[in-house]
Amino acid sequence: MSKNHTGPLLSVNHLVTEFETRGKNNITVVDDISFHVNEGEIVAIVGESGSGKSITSLSIMGLLKNGGHVTGGAILYQGTDLLKLSKKERRQVRGKEMSMIFQEPMSSLNPMLRIKSQIAEAINIHQPAKSKKQVQEKVIDLLKQVEIPDAERVANRFPHQLSGGMRQRVMIAIALACEPKLLIADEPTTALDVTTQAQILALIKDLNKRRGTGVIFITHDLSVVADIADRVVVMYQGKIVEEADVFQLFDHPQHAYTKKLMRAMPTIEKKAGDSHAN
Amino acid sequence: MVQNKILQSFRTVRSGIIQNSSPLGLIGLITVSVIIILAILAPWIVPHDPFKIDATNRLIPPFWVVDGSMNHILGTDHLGRDILSRLIYGGRVSLLVGFLSVLIAGVIGLFLGLISGYFGGTWIDQFIMRFVDAMLAIPTLLLVLVAIVVFEPGIVTLILVIGLTSWAQYTRLVRGEVLSVKEREFVQSATTLGASKGYIIRKHILPNVLSSFIVVSTIGIATAIMTESSLSFLGLGIQPPDITWGGMLNDGRNYIATSWWIATFPGLAITITVLAITFLGDWLRDILDPKLKKGGDADE
Amino acid sequence: MPTNDVLLEVKDLVKHFPVAKHRNQQEKAVVKAVDSVSFNVHKGEILGIVGESGSGKSTVAKLVMQLLEPDEGQILFHGNDIFKESRKERIETKKQVQMVFQDPYSSLNPRMTAKEIVTEALIIHKKIAKKEVDNKALELLEEVGLGKQHLNRYPHQFSGGQRQRLSIARALSLKPDLIVCDEAVSALDVSIQAQILDLLKQLQKTYGIAFIFIAHGLPAVKQISDRIAIMYKGKIVEMASSDEIFDAPKHTYTKKLIDAIPPSHPKYRKDRMVRED
């Protein structure tokens, strides 16, 4: 990765991802999409289930399964095409340069391991030279960074002893372990309570501001987009139908599908705008 | 109604064959079908009388070996009996024992498993499960040996004994499945519709545990065939002159160095049958899943 | 539309669940999942109940559905205490109170077709002759915006939104007075949620069915509820008309819930507190 690269942090050019089926025809799930993420920017990918938004993120991470393959295009990370890397080089990019958090924090954590071991593991994979004490300190530091109160105690807990919101914080701590420049969040708040969702969104915004981490935020919920994104990519049936700055998108949605999503949004503020001022 | 259901399941199997072209499953299905057909038609298709002793034609090797003859394709045994004919007759016993003993074990196991699972945690469940534990703690083969010593060895005894000693594993399996299906919301939903316990078990729980049950049962058939063969090999199973593959193996034991074919073919028959039934079981699991049935995709 | 006639009356309802006993505890430890909850549902009214995980809202639903027995308190339906009814009366009550569950993937039997699912209740209660099944099923499917082509499909062939429509059709089949929706739209995409909410609202208008609509967030509830009850740790902390809740929330927890609603436009963004408490 060239250190003095100047273009966008990540640019996806004409990406095509297909899935093999038992029959003859492959299914195209991501169909010739292009977008980019600048350093320190939050880009939201919006779409319904089946729109290809999650497959896009898995393609970028190189985590496609069940017969999925990238069959066209390029994924440039700081100018380097990830698709041209060897498996080993790709693995080094994963975790170190970019990492990912998922919807269900419970199934992403190993139920048999203490929180501190799971975070330490993430540190050790890419920075094995660190001493045990350094790793411990780093674990606590990470837990503090994701605003977990009483970090020393939580580090010794098992996943089932934590609430959903705490688990998602731990997942974010693991994702941040190697200080990646890009964080991909795939519906990280869908399974959470609303008040917890608000906290996690605030945390991601905060990390983005403080550390300059670029974020791809995947969601089906436009109000979450309104809360967090700088720029928005709208996906429908495997294609990007609209891409715009977040204000521009909400003020002047162009595509019929975007407008449909807008209409489906529950609006609270119109008459209750002042009850927000706290 | 019943006809419809049968027709429906026939269609399921048929579309399963067409769509899910898993070669192993197909091989299993064809092999098992051929064995069943041969067993049923045995009296009309065997080239020789399988019981007829012929001292002049002892120990003839299979036809492709020197001294072999097309008259006895797979050769003859130490009493001059035709091996192929005996294999076909032996298949009848193996299949009969396999199917009927699993039928007995399955019916008992399914019934107790449904009750135990549905009333999970209550004294009924506790009672059934302790009984199951006791059954599973005693090795089946040992129970069978005791039973055979007490009762007269024969085909009926064998079926009853294998059947009555192997139901516990089905109870375990069915109970576990029921416990998990019971927690799914559609069962609660049926309760809120006002359905009775019997209705819920019959209509919602049974169909959803049946597929794993059938799969395990097919493998149970294979196990029963093995048990029968082992017992007959030990001389404790079905007694001569009735022909079984295990008994044939036993016959060939003393000649294995000089006339390998006497023991090899019944051994192969057992292996092939058990393997074929196992493949069939795996394949059944796939086609009994409604998700793999033909049909359009979701659209909104 | 809502009337003043009370359909369902919940009085001082209490439900405990035992929890694993700690080594040095003498008494049996319990969690008060529902702690002295009272509310009314009027005929034809949509009552929203909002609470987060652990608030006891689903336990209330299960008690109303008679899936659980309360430890204390009463539930009166049409003036009768449903837990004191005879077996026969209970079955009658069950017919009049139906439920739509949260998870459209596990609330439908995967081995039954759409036709069988929506007519099941009618067959259980022998309200329908065999030859009428097809017509009745089609009628119910059309009621919820599905059609003839769906009659013989299995649940896995439907999308999440369509499955919830099937659940609603099933709940409608006995012409109930009350339908309890337990997080019925939470698992769906936002745009599909709106469609399902429209459908429920329409059923309320057309048939005067009352709904208890349970959700973990306010936006969905606000769209359809006449009144909203806010639950927190087993208690109802605030109950008021939908407008009052949003315009003049009284309880701090209600304020917190409103504050947690993501904005509908980026211009309404605000910087929130990050820390979890």
Coordinates of all heavy atoms in Angstrom, one line a residue, chain B residues 78 229-236 240 244-255 262-263 266:
Chain B
H78 N -19.4 -75.3 -0.5 CA -18.8 -76.6 -0.1 C -19.7 -77.7 -0.2 O -19.4 -78.9 -0.2 CB -18.2 -76.5 1.3 CG -19.2 -76.1 2.3 ND1 -19.9 -74.9 2.3 CD2 -19.8 -76.8 3.4 CE1 -20.7 -74.9 3.3 NE2 -20.7 -76.0 4.0
S229 N -26.9 -60.1 10.4 CA -25.8 -60.8 9.7 C -24.8 -61.3 10.8 O -24.3 -62.4 10.8 CB -25.1 -59.9 8.7 OG -26.0 -59.5 7.7
S230 N -24.5 -60.4 11.7 CA -23.5 -60.7 12.8 C -24.0 -61.9 13.6 O -23.3 -62.9 13.8 CB -23.3 -59.6 13.7 OG -23.2 -58.4 13.0
L231 N -25.3 -61.9 14.0 CA -25.9 -63.0 14.8 C -25.9 -64.3 14.0 O -25.5 -65.3 14.5 CB -27.3 -62.6 15.2 CG -27.3 -61.5 16.3 CD1 -28.7 -61.0 16.5 CD2 -26.8 -62.0 17.6
S232 N -26.3 -64.2 12.7 CA -26.3 -65.4 11.9 C -24.9 -66.0 11.7 O -24.7 -67.2 11.7 CB -27.0 -65.1 10.6 OG -28.3 -64.7 10.8
F233 N -24.0 -65.0 11.6 CA -22.6 -65.5 11.4 C -22.1 -66.2 12.7 O -21.4 -67.2 12.6 CB -21.7 -64.2 11.2 CG -20.2 -64.5 11.1 CD1 -19.7 -65.1 10.0 CD2 -19.4 -64.3 12.2 CE1 -18.3 -65.4 9.9 CE2 -18.0 -64.6 12.1 CZ -17.5 -65.1 11.0
L234 N -22.6 -65.8 13.8 CA -22.2 -66.4 15.1 C -23.0 -67.7 15.3 O -22.8 -68.4 16.3 CB -22.4 -65.5 16.3 CG -21.5 -64.2 16.3 CD1 -22.0 -63.2 17.3 CD2 -20.1 -64.6 16.5
G235 N -24.0 -67.9 14.4 CA -24.8 -69.1 14.6 C -26.0 -68.9 15.5 O -26.7 -69.8 15.9
L236 N -26.2 -67.6 15.9 CA -27.3 -67.4 16.9 C -28.5 -66.8 16.2 O -29.5 -66.6 16.8 CB -26.8 -66.3 17.9 CG -25.7 -66.8 18.8 CD1 -25.0 -65.7 19.5 CD2 -26.2 -67.8 19.9
P240 N -29.9 -72.6 9.8 CA -30.1 -73.4 8.5 C -31.2 -74.3 8.7 O -31.5 -74.8 9.8 CB -28.7 -74.1 8.5 CG -27.9 -73.6 9.5 CD -28.7 -72.9 10.5
T244 N -29.2 -67.0 5.0 CA -29.0 -65.5 5.3 C -27.6 -65.2 4.9 O -26.7 -66.1 4.8 CB -29.1 -65.2 6.8 OG1 -28.0 -65.8 7.5 CG2 -30.4 -65.7 7.4
W245 N -27.3 -63.9 4.6 CA -26.0 -63.5 4.2 C -24.9 -63.8 5.3 O -23.8 -64.3 5.1 CB -26.0 -62.1 3.8 CG -26.7 -61.8 2.6 CD1 -27.0 -62.7 1.6 CD2 -27.2 -60.5 2.1 NE1 -27.7 -62.1 0.6 CE2 -27.9 -60.8 0.9 CE3 -27.3 -59.3 2.6 CZ2 -28.5 -59.8 0.2 CZ3 -27.9 -58.3 1.9 CH2 -28.5 -58.5 0.7
G246 N -25.4 -63.6 6.5 CA -24.5 -63.8 7.7 C -24.1 -65.3 7.8 O -23.0 -65.7 8.0
G247 N -25.2 -66.1 7.6 CA -24.9 -67.6 7.6 C -24.0 -68.1 6.5 O -23.1 -68.9 6.7
M248 N -24.2 -67.4 5.3 CA -23.3 -67.8 4.2 C -21.9 -67.4 4.5 O -20.9 -68.2 4.1 CB -23.8 -67.1 2.9 CG -25.1 -67.6 2.4 SD -25.7 -66.6 1.0 CE -24.6 -67.1 -0.3
L249 N -21.7 -66.3 5.1 CA -20.3 -65.8 5.5 C -19.7 -66.9 6.4 O -18.5 -67.3 6.3 CB -20.4 -64.5 6.3 CG -20.1 -63.2 5.6 CD1 -20.3 -62.1 6.6 CD2 -18.7 -63.2 5.1
N250 N -20.5 -67.4 7.4 CA -20.1 -68.3 8.3 C -19.6 -69.6 7.6 O -18.6 -70.2 7.9 CB -21.1 -68.6 9.3 CG -20.6 -69.4 10.5 OD1 -19.4 -69.5 10.7 ND2 -21.5 -70.0 11.3
D251 N -20.5 -70.0 6.6 CA -20.2 -71.2 5.8 C -18.8 -71.1 5.2 O -18.1 -72.0 5.1 CB -21.2 -71.4 4.7 CG -22.6 -71.8 5.3 OD1 -22.6 -72.3 6.5 OD2 -23.6 -71.7 4.6
G252 N -18.6 -69.9 4.7 CA -17.4 -69.7 3.8 C -16.1 -69.5 4.7 O -15.0 -69.5 4.1
R253 N -16.3 -69.3 6.0 CA -15.2 -69.0 6.9 C -14.0 -70.0 6.7 O -12.9 -69.6 6.6 CB -15.7 -69.0 8.3 CG -14.8 -68.3 9.3 CD -15.7 -68.0 10.5 NE -16.5 -69.2 10.8 CZ -16.3 -70.0 11.9 NH1 -15.3 -69.8 12.7 NH2 -17.0 -71.1 12.1
N254 N -14.4 -71.3 6.7 CA -13.3 -72.3 6.7 C -12.6 -72.5 5.4 O -11.6 -73.1 5.3 CB -13.9 -73.7 7.2 CG -14.5 -73.6 8.6 OD1 -13.9 -72.9 9.4 ND2 -15.6 -74.3 8.8
Y255 N -13.3 -71.9 4.4 CA -12.7 -72.1 3.0 C -12.1 -70.8 2.5 O -11.7 -70.7 1.3 CB -13.8 -72.5 2.1 CG -14.5 -73.8 2.5 CD1 -15.5 -73.9 3.4 CD2 -14.0 -75.1 2.0 CE1 -16.1 -75.1 3.8 CE2 -14.5 -76.3 2.4 CZ -15.6 -76.3 3.3 OH -16.1 -77.5 3.7
I262 N -16.9 -68.1 -1.5 CA -18.0 -68.4 -0.7 C -18.3 -67.3 0.3 O -19.5 -67.0 0.6 CB -17.8 -69.8 0.0 CG1 -17.4 -70.9 -1.0 CG2 -19.0 -70.2 0.8 CD1 -17.1 -72.2 -0.4
A263 N -17.3 -66.8 0.9 CA -17.5 -65.8 2.0 C -17.5 -64.4 1.3 O -18.2 -63.5 1.8 CB -16.4 -65.8 3.0
P266 N -21.3 -63.0 -0.1 CA -22.3 -62.5 0.9 C -21.7 -61.3 1.6 O -22.5 -60.3 1.9 CB -22.4 -63.7 1.8 CG -21.4 -64.6 1.5 CD -21.0 -64.4 0.1

